[in-house]
Each structure stands twice: as structure tokens, then as C-alpha cells.
Amino acid sequence: VARRNFRISPMPLSALAVLESELLALGGHDNTVSLYSTSCGSSLSKSSMHADTVTCLGVSHCKSLLVSGSRDQSVVAWQVTPSGLKNDVIFDDLQQPVVCAACSGSLVLAAASDKRLICWDRRSGQAILDRELDGIATACALSDATASASGCTYAAGLDNAGELRLWDLRQCSESLRLQTTANSPSGLVTANCFLTDFSDWAVLGGAAPTGHATVV
């Protein structure tokens, strides 16, 4: 496995997302969102729209849209262009620091540290889903509507107690509520992250009863 080290910023990084094999989106404690090329080892663009640390980043399935969340309680959607990042829209409905964010097509999803989760349509700037989770969100995701035979888009939210919830955004209704943690040697006692294709598989990561990191 090849390994390369890069000196990116004098300030600590706080969020990372992969756009392409040699193109990264980076968020930092300097309140900026950057596009970084690993092939040339330098930043292609750096944008400052947040007033505090960038806490999370999300990338659309087509890789043309990026969303960033911040400790300043704002969520910013960006268009990824050949020349860099172009600010698309800013959402400021959340009242606490943003802990996770996702985007797909015209939709942006984010959750804050007060357990609130909101999905917006960036074309209108209006919220189409506003819910309170039972625990603090640790991850959220949006399905790819273009890959769905029914054209449905789903939003998912995972909290720190391991409860996974799924909403059908076309019906604006909850489709699933699943407790993923269990007191077994092979299970999770806390959940911190997840990935899913919304059709065949889901992977969750967190802590086992032994305290060690585990994936199920």
C-alpha cells in the first residue's frame, strides 16, 4: 500500500470527504472548505463561508455537489466546478452545532447536537422534513433518487444510542425505526457512523462491549 504525507494547513483538519481518487474536500478549524489535489499536493481552492469550525462534509452521489456543516450552526451547499467551489445556498434553521450532513440531487440533510434533523430542498430553500431524534445524531444519509426504480428518495439518521431511522421523503413518512445496538460480544453498544446503498447493504461502526472499535 502506497503512503504519502501532505502538509495541508497550519490549523487542524476537522472533516474530510472524497470526491475523486485524487481529489479531496477538506474542512478545518480555520472555518474554511477546501478542494485538495493529492496528485499535485496542493489546494485547488479554499472558501470561507462559515464563522466557526467546519464539523462535517457530505458529497452527492454524482460528486457535483458538496455540503458542509459547522459549529456556527449553518449548513452550506456548494457546487463543485472545474475551477473550485461555488456557494449555492446557505441554511441556518438549526440552532446548535451541526454534527452530520448529506446531499443528493436537490436535497440537503443535516442534524445538530440538539437531536434535530432537517431536510431541505435547495431549489426553494424550504425544509421538507423536520424531526427530532431520540439521541444525538452521529450520521445521516440520503438515497440516490435517480437510481431508484420508484423515484423515491429516502433520508436516514443514526443516533449515538444506535437507533437507525428511515423516512420516505415523497410521502414525508417514517418507514423504519431499528435499534442496531445490542449487549452481545459481537454487537455495538454505541454507534458512530454508517454507510448504506439503501437497497442491499448497510455497514455500521461503533464500540463493542469490550470498548474496542467494531463494524457490523
Side-chain angles (χ1 to χ4, degrees):
V1 177
R3 176 179 173 178
R4 299 176 65 188
N5 296 321
F6 302 97
R7 176 67 175 176
I8 296 173
S9 169
M11 296 289 287
L13 297 178
S14 51
L16 181 148
V18 178
L19 289 162
E20 298 175 6
S21 59
E22 296 184 342
L23 184 63
L24 307 177
L26 305 173
H29 284 271
D30 59 357
N31 313 342
T32 64
V33 177
S34 305
L35 287 184
Y36 189 86
S37 170
T38 59
S39 59
C40 63
S42 62
S43 293
L44 303 180
S45 70
K46 180 175 285 190
S47 303
S48 299
M49 291 298 296
H50 293 290
D52 207 335
T53 298
V54 177
T55 52
C56 54
L57 294 168
V59 182
S60 65
H61 301 278
C62 63
K63 308 297 184 182
S64 63
L65 182 68
L66 177 74
V67 64
S68 59
S70 170
R71 195 176 291 164
D72 70 0
Q73 306 171 18
S74 69
V75 178
V76 180
W78 309 84
Q79 294 283 352
V80 181
T81 70
S83 59
L85 294 172
K86 180 182 178 182
N87 172 236
D88 186 53
V89 64
I90 300 174
F91 303 101
D92 57 5
D93 301 287
L94 294 170
Q95 303 301 311
Q96 293 294 325
V98 184
V99 294
C100 58
C103 54
S104 178
S106 63
L107 302 178
V108 172
L109 179 70
S113 60
D114 62 354
K115 307 178 184 180
R116 190 179 181 192
L117 181 142
I118 301 180
C119 185
W120 299 270
D121 188 325
R122 61 187 179 89
R123 295 167 300 186
S124 65
Q126 299 299 308
I128 61 172
L129 183 78
D130 190 340
R131 297 291 186 271
E132 183 174 333
L133 304 178
D134 289 339
I136 298 173
T138 56
C140 62
L142 285 165
S143 68
D144 182 4
T146 61
S148 169
S150 63
C152 293
T153 300
Y154 295 94
L158 177 71
D159 68 28
N160 59 343
E163 185 173 69
L164 179 64
R165 297 173 66 178
L166 182 71
W167 293 271
D168 180 339
L169 296 179
R170 187 170 64 175
Q171 301 294 331
C172 202
S173 61
E174 188 168 8
S175 303
L176 174 71
R177 184 180 291 215
L178 177 66
Q179 187 62 43
T180 64
T181 55
N183 289 320
S184 65
S186 60
L188 298 172
V189 292
T190 60
N192 303 107
C193 56
F194 83 101
L195 294 171
T196 181
D197 68 349
F198 286 90
S199 60
D200 297 317
W201 57 265
V203 179
L204 292 92
T210 59
H212 296 119
T214 189
V215 174
V216 296

